Amino acid sequence: MYAIGGFLLFFFYNRKAKTVLLWAIGLLCFFYLLACMQFFIPAHVLQEAQREYKVLHEHALTQYLSTYRQADYLSWLFYRLNVEVVPMLLNLPFSIFPVFSMLLFGLYTAKKGFIHSIEQNRSFFKKIQLISGAAGFTLTIILAILKLEILKYGLYQQAAIHLFTSLSGIFLCFFYLTTLLLFLQFSPYASMLGLFKYSGTMALTTYLSQTLICLWMVRAFGLYGTLTLTESTIICLIIYTLQLLFNKWWLYYFYYGPCEWLWRSFTYRSFPPLRRNRKASA
């Protein structure tokens, strides 16, 4: 989805920043307008659809757990192609809207040069932080009320939960980004957050290695479907902390992560230098 969105960005590369921003806001509004249409589906139609979905979901869940607990890796792969990749591609015309909108916001930010002039745009970032934070936390509270069923919408309960989950995520995204950018202007926070830049430089290697590590752990110890949320969170924090330290060590000796180097070599059809010449720099 991100790759397709990236290709679509070529059509906006030479457009004015204001045009890009208007498209980003417009596509996001259009997406949520479409999402709200489900509240106008007649109750009897929605009830029948939910009944059919429940039956299919119960059968799919049983098959899912059975496959992931007992099948070999190739069976996992082909199973995922059928039950995850194909439905995702079929849903792409709808789900691409919020993703592409966020990419356009990123392009707008780059065109305006905000990241390179944070201090000069401090008031702008604070305004976005305040608005997005207030909206995001308000929507999250509403979401909690819906999930706890304090506020009930009957057959439309799940639709409301999905809508407020997505909306709160959009606003909180901007809140987190502006908060991090403002924190980076203070030296104590900058040094603390500086460790994360190594994961940014080695994002592809980090992502793929997480998959390999978790696959190995789940397969070797039979952990699929057995871990609690707390145990999973602790394991994730341990893995990511070790990756942060490894990435810093690796980039002390090399310019790129191994996967980034391979991808760059494939993209430019030449092998860029990988190892840093520490003796020469000293």
Side-chain angles (χ1 to χ4, degrees):
M1 196 184 301
Y2 295 155
I4 293 170
F7 278 114
L8 293 174
L9 277 182
F10 283 119
F11 294 102
F12 292 86
Y13 187 73
N14 292 318
R15 306 297 290 271
K16 293 180 180 178
K18 186 178 179 180
T19 304
V20 174
L21 179 63
L22 290 174
W23 270 90
I25 296 172
L27 288 175
L28 207 55
C29 291
F30 179 68
F31 170 76
Y32 285 111
L33 183 64
L34 289 177
C36 287
M37 295 300 290
Q38 58 191 324
F39 293 103
F40 297 96
I41 299 174
H44 69 279
V45 175
L46 190 62
Q47 191 172 24
E48 182 62 28
Q50 288 180 354
R51 190 183 298 114
E52 292 179 3
Y53 174 78
K54 185 178 180 181
V55 173
L56 289 172
H57 178 72
E58 288 174 352
H59 172 72
L61 183 60
T62 303
Q63 188 180 11
Y64 204 99
L65 290 170
S66 174
T67 302
Y68 273 79
R69 284 173 175 165
Q70 300 170 14
D72 55 69
Y73 177 73
L74 281 177
S75 298
W76 277 16
L77 191 63
F78 287 112
Y79 181 73
R80 287 191 64 169
L81 284 172
N82 289 324
V83 302
E84 294 181 18
V85 176
V86 173
M88 184 187 70
L89 290 173
L90 291 174
N91 195 43
L92 190 65
F94 178 71
S95 57
I96 191 70
F97 281 103
V99 172
F100 185 56
S101 178
M102 297 304 286
L103 292 176
L104 286 173
F105 279 119
L107 181 60
Y108 169 78
T109 302
K111 281 181 173 289
K112 297 293 287 186
F114 285 144
I115 304 300
H116 302 291
S117 54
I118 298 172
E119 191 60 39
Q120 295 90 319
N121 293 284
R122 176 180 289 275
S123 59
F124 170 77
F125 283 120
K126 282 190 172 181
K127 188 182 295 183
I128 298 296
Q129 182 193 37
L130 180 64
I131 295 171
S132 60
F137 285 111
T138 302
L139 291 167
T140 303
I141 291 170
I142 296 172
L143 175 62
I145 292 171
L146 285 168
K147 289 185 76 70
L148 293 171
E149 296 188 349
I150 298 172
L151 186 64
K152 296 182 179 181
Y153 278 99
L155 292 173
Y156 303 96
Q157 188 78 8
Q158 286 303 314
I161 287 173
H162 290 152
L163 177 64
F164 279 95
T165 299
S166 180
L167 272 172
S168 61
I170 292 289
F171 283 103
L172 288 176
C173 171
F174 285 105
F175 173 73
Y176 295 148
L177 283 171
T178 49
T179 300
L180 283 170
L181 287 173
L182 290 170
F183 271 175
L184 284 170
Q185 301 311 295
F186 299 98
S187 54
Y189 295 113
S191 58
M192 182 178 66
L193 295 171
L195 190 61
F196 291 97
K197 69 182 179 183
Y198 303 107
S199 282
T201 306
M202 292 177 59
L204 182 60
T205 299
T206 301
Y207 178 77
L208 293 177
S209 60
Q210 282 174 0
T211 302
L212 292 173
I213 292 167
C214 292
L215 273 175
W216 172 78
M217 287 180 63
V218 168
R219 298 286 297 180
F221 300 103
L223 298 177
Y224 187 82
T226 64
L227 295 171
T228 66
L229 183 60
T230 302
E231 291 168 343
S232 302
T233 304
I234 292 170
I235 290 172
C236 288
L237 289 172
I238 292 171
I239 291 172
Y240 189 59
T241 301
L242 292 174
Q243 285 184 309
L244 285 175
L245 298 173
F246 172 79
N247 292 346
K248 183 178 181 181
W249 172 82
W250 178 275
L251 290 172
Y252 181 81
Y253 296 102
F254 302 97
Y255 289 109
Y256 313 104
C259 295
E260 286 75 16
W261 181 79
L262 287 171
W263 191 260
R264 187 175 287 266
S265 300
F266 170 77
T267 302
Y268 297 105
R269 300 181 186 180
S270 63
F271 297 105
L274 178 60
R275 179 178 282 275
R276 296 179 188 271
N277 190 349
R278 282 291 165 193
K279 290 182 180 179
S281 62

